[in-house]
């Protein structure tokens, strides 16, 4: 390498802002943020009705979960300590724009998004968020991210199949007790042992709403462009069992469930990590 070439390469490297992809180097985030609801917050994954951000599939630091953050930090130590969990238990799609604004303030260049369970887990079926409203809210929030952090990359996880939770827990007396006393996701989990046509139709409608939300996420992510990845319904398809569910409420993922989400979603964005732009050849 000539002195001129070396100087030019050094100048390019110094000019690349934090979090951006340097020419000839694969993408590596410097600041990452988790957006969403109680799932990404790690709620009930380590104790009785507490938020356990350390167990989050996205930004968690507990080695048993093997989160996106830990996997990415192993590739580049520059990410160490720059994991911000902005997910809030109970959040719906209406709260996403506020979380995005916070992520922009933290200068996040990698954002994970998992939200929508609380848009269907409401007290009455009629109060579920319409698919069109949900899609508009998510699209609007990501527009804010693009405006504030145009080079940021977004990973969008599908909403879990809540009917799978009903299927795995309906014959468990303890699970049914928690669901009833805590009025947990009554649109899906109310009267869990009922086989009536009306109750089955209700469960089917709730599941269809989740499917509609996931289709909306796929559309919004595709419209966002190459800086967005949707998991292709990987989380929705997972045949999780009660061994993946917190015994504190029989609803939220425990540490094993969080690890499952991390494992099944990380592969959807791994192509970003192998990206490498050709280094331009300078004229002699």
């Amino acid at each position: 390498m000539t002195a001129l070439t070396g100087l030019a390469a050094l100048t390019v490297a110094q000019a690349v802002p934090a979090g951006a992809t340097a020419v000839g180097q694969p993408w590596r985030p410097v600041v990452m943020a988790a957006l969403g609801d109680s799932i990404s917050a790690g709620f009930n994954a380590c104790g009785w009705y507490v938020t356990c951000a350390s167990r989050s599939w996205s930004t968690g630091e507990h080695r048993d979960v093997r989160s996106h953050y830990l996997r990415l930090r192993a590739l580049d130590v520059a990410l160490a300590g720059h994991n911000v969990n902005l997910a809030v238990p109970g959040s719906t799609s209406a709260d996403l724009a506020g979380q995005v604004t916070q992520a922009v303030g933290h200068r996040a260049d990698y954002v994970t998004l998992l939200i929508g369970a609380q848009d269907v887990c409401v007290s009455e079926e009629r109060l579920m968020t319409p698919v069109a409203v949900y899609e508009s809210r998510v699209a609007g929030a990501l527009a804010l991210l693009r405006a504030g952090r145009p080079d940021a990359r977004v990973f969008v996880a599908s909403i879990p199949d809540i009917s799978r939770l009903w299927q795995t827990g309906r014959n468990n007396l303890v699970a049914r007790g928690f669901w009833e006393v805590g009025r947990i996701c009554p649109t899906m989990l109310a009267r869990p042992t009922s086989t009536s046509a009306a109750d089955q139709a209700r469960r089917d409608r709730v599941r269809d709403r989740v499917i509609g939300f996931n289709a909306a996420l796929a559309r919004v992510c595709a419209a966002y462009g190459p800086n967005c990845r949707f998991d292709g319904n990987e989380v929705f398809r997972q045949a999780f069992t009660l061994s993946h569910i917190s015994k504190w409420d029989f609803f939220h993922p425990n540490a094993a469930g969080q690890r499952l989400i991390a494992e099944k979603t990380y592969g959807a964005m791994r192509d970003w990590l192998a990206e490498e732009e050709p280094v331009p050849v300078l004229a002699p």
Side-chain angles (χ1 to χ4, degrees), residues 100 137-149 220 224:
V100 166
R137 288 172 175 173
V138 176
L142 290 188
L144 291 175
L145 181 66
R146 185 192 293 279
R149 299 290 292 164
V220 171
Y224 196 88

Side-chain angles (χ1 to χ4, degrees), residues 170-241:
R170 61 180 173 168
N171 295 322
N172 184 296
L173 181 62
V174 179
R176 296 200 307 266
F178 271 96
W179 296 346
E180 181 178 1
V181 173
R183 288 190 54 77
I184 296 174
C185 198
T187 47
M188 175 61 71
L189 302 177
R191 299 183 294 280
T193 60
S194 172
T195 58
S196 73
D199 281 322
Q200 187 55 54
R202 164 179 54 86
R203 297 180 195 118
D204 289 343
R205 288 191 297 270
V206 175
R207 186 174 190 269
D208 286 344
R209 187 62 56 92
V210 172
I211 291 173
F213 285 173
N214 284 333
L217 291 175
R219 289 191 295 269
V220 171
C221 193
Y224 196 88
N227 276 7
C228 187
R229 289 286 185 279
F230 178 57
D231 74 352
N233 285 310
E234 190 66 40
V235 173
F236 178 81
R237 287 196 300 267
Q238 286 312 300
F240 59 85
T241 68

Side-chain angles (χ1 to χ4, degrees), residues 26-243:
W27 170 78
R28 296 289 185 270
V30 175
V31 179
M32 73 169 292
L35 310 181
D37 53 29
S38 52
I39 297 178
S40 292
F43 188 76
N44 273 3
C46 68
W48 176 263
Y49 281 76
V50 293
T51 297
C52 305
S54 65
R55 268 71 167 182
S56 168
W57 67 273
S58 172
T59 57
E61 298 180 347
H62 198 283
R63 63 183 183 181
D64 288 346
V65 173
R66 297 197 67 220
S67 66
H68 282 216
Y69 166 69
L70 288 182
R71 294 167 189 252
L72 291 170
R73 193 185 71 180
L75 298 175
D76 191 340
V77 72
L79 183 60
H82 299 150
N83 51 326
V84 184
N85 197 312
L86 304 173
V88 178
S91 292
T92 70
S93 56
D95 303 302
L96 187 57
Q99 293 182 17
V100 166
T101 299
Q102 294 180 66
V104 170
H106 284 284
R107 301 183 61 81
D109 46 37
Y110 176 52
V111 171
T112 68
L113 188 159
L114 173 49
I115 199 162
Q118 293 299 322
D119 287 84
V120 296
C121 286
V122 286
S123 58
E124 300 177 46
E125 189 181 343
R126 65 181 180 84
L127 298 177
M128 294 191 301
T129 304
V131 173
V133 173
Y134 176 84
E135 184 167 355
S136 176
R137 288 172 175 173
V138 176
L142 290 188
L144 291 175
L145 181 66
R146 185 192 293 279
R149 299 290 292 164
D151 295 324
R153 306 201 183 192
V154 188
F155 176 79
V156 179
S158 54
I159 304 160
D161 186 354
I162 303 171
S163 69
R164 173 73 185 177
L165 180 65
W166 166 74
Q167 291 168 358
T168 59
R170 61 180 173 168
N171 295 322
N172 184 296
L173 181 62
V174 179
R176 296 200 307 266
F178 271 96
W179 296 346
E180 181 178 1
V181 173
R183 288 190 54 77
I184 296 174
C185 198
T187 47
M188 175 61 71
L189 302 177
R191 299 183 294 280
T193 60
S194 172
T195 58
S196 73
D199 281 322
Q200 187 55 54
R202 164 179 54 86
R203 297 180 195 118
D204 289 343
R205 288 191 297 270
V206 175
R207 186 174 190 269
D208 286 344
R209 187 62 56 92
V210 172
I211 291 173
F213 285 173
N214 284 333
L217 291 175
R219 289 191 295 269
V220 171
C221 193
Y224 196 88
N227 276 7
C228 187
R229 289 286 185 279
F230 178 57
D231 74 352
N233 285 310
E234 190 66 40
V235 173
F236 178 81
R237 287 196 300 267
Q238 286 312 300
F240 59 85
T241 68
L242 288 183
S243 67

